Amino acid sequence: MAEMPESTPEGSRRNRREYGGGVSNDTAVKENSHPEAESLIEEAVEQENMLRAYRRVVANKGAAGVDGMTVEQLSDELKAHWQETKGRLLEGAYRPQPVKRVEIPKPGGAGMRMLGIPTVTDRLIQQALLQVLTPIFDPGFSEHSYGFRPGRGAHQAVLQAREHIEAGNRWVVDIDLEKFFDRVNHDILMARVARKVKDKRVLKLIRLYLQAGIMDEGVVKVSRAGTPQGGPLSPLLSNIILDDLDKELEKRGHKFCRYADDCNIYVKSQRAGERVLESISGFLEKKLKLKVNRKKSAVGRPWKRKFLGYSVTAHKKPLLRVAPQSVIRLKSKVKVILRAGRGWSVGKTIDVLTPLLRGWYTYFSLAETKNVFEELDSWLRRRLRLILWRQWKRPRTRAHKLQACGISP
């Protein structure tokens, strides 16, 4: 990328850290958090912050938005129009473009999930905003919140959940929010953002992103609620509104883990769990205007439920295991690849499957029961043998090949 145009000379110490994906630096956060700051937009468009945002957007790649511009074309676009775009941002006159509607299947085939893909330029601006907003909001988030936060992740949430169960909280309240990212109330969210952000240009820009609309088959549909998944700002905004839930659970003294909109509360009895489910559902629906999916939300034993793809055994000291649904989901993905790759050699098939399998095994490396991995290994080898069997076709060829493998006539 060509050098970004020069920005305000004072710059910002906050922008000397990689924030928005890396591990946070507590000292830097304390020094640079200015809840009453009224010049956040200047910090967002400061040259060093924009360069880091650019690198992040390019690294994430992603599809083009409604304007058709790709990540590879972003550098030339910035050379030609950055000063003009920056001026509109500083004046509060910038207008985001609608997001592009993309649907992807939900895990397990339970319908489709809608993604909203912003233009590359809007992704860049959102990423720049994320980098200056994260140090303001993140230090105030709950210790029990693990999703989309610097230095935190799903593995920490799973380990914390196991600790709660081991401590005797052997019932779980599994709360499912129905279409959470589509139902976030804009007024409630913006009120939470305004508690710490005083720059009216930033507040206006965030609301404009929320209301930018969705382009579907050439028609722009107005967004009256929700934070479309696909933009860099959406994860932070989801944490901001759900922080009210975290604080309410902490105030009540509950043991819980939350990763994005996936929240599990651990209690000591079924009766207590049913009481908690009812009261917290009421809090979410009345206070935050979110809808709890009553069919999917339930009180149950942790070893009969799943959390972030994991489950546990029923031992007094529970062991982490891969949830059965996660195995089914992996097999479905493998079958899709194998169907698409009919005619491939075994070698090419293995090359295509390896990134998927390596990522899956890495994510589930915390599992303490290994039988599922042995069963999967056997299943995968059988699928690969089936490829060879189809390729050999004729009985004579099969007999010859099997004898070459050491099998007696």
Side-chain angles (χ1 to χ4, degrees), residues 162 164-170 301-304 311-321 368-369 371:
R162 184 184 62 177
H164 290 325
I165 300 166
E166 190 175 344
N169 303 285
R170 295 172 73 81
R301 293 293 196 177
W303 45 90
K304 294 183 179 180
S311 188
V312 295
T313 63
H315 298 101
K316 186 174 182 180
K317 185 175 181 180
L319 301 176
L320 290 174
R321 65 185 180 93
E368 298 164 292
T369 57
N371 60 315

Side-chain angles (χ1 to χ4, degrees), residues 260-296:
D261 59 330
D262 198 346
C263 183
N264 276 8
I265 307 166
Y266 297 89
V267 296
K268 295 185 181 295
S269 70
Q270 182 177 8
R271 186 176 178 182
E274 290 170 350
R275 188 169 58 247
V276 169
L277 176 58
E278 189 61 32
S279 63
I280 292 301
S281 296
F283 172 83
L284 287 165
E285 292 175 346
K286 293 176 184 176
K287 184 77 178 289
L288 299 182
K289 307 300 181 186
L290 299 171
K291 186 175 182 180
V292 175
N293 189 324
R294 303 282 178 163
K295 292 182 179 179
K296 293 184 178 180

Side-chain angles (χ1 to χ4, degrees), residues 205-241:
L205 184 57
I206 293 174
R207 186 175 279 276
L208 286 172
Y209 273 121
L210 292 173
Q211 298 176 340
I214 299 169
M215 179 77 77
D216 187 14
E217 297 182 351
V219 178
V220 177
K221 297 180 180 178
V222 178
S223 302
R224 302 192 185 280
T227 59
Q229 290 175 270
L233 264 182
S234 290
L236 175 63
L237 297 178
S238 70
N239 273 334
I240 289 173
I241 194 164

Side-chain angles (χ1 to χ4, degrees), residues 31 56 76 85 101 114 127 131 136 167 170 195 207 217 229 245 278 281 297-298 362 369 384 387 407:
E31 287 179 358
R56 176 73 64 181
D76 291 337
T85 302
R101 181 186 179 94
M114 197 281 287
Q127 180 64 37
Q131 291 168 183
I136 292 175
R170 295 172 73 81
R195 289 173 181 173
R207 186 175 279 276
E217 297 182 351
Q229 290 175 270
L245 170 62
E278 189 61 32
S281 296
S297 299
T362 299
T369 57
L384 294 175
I387 294 174
I407 296 177

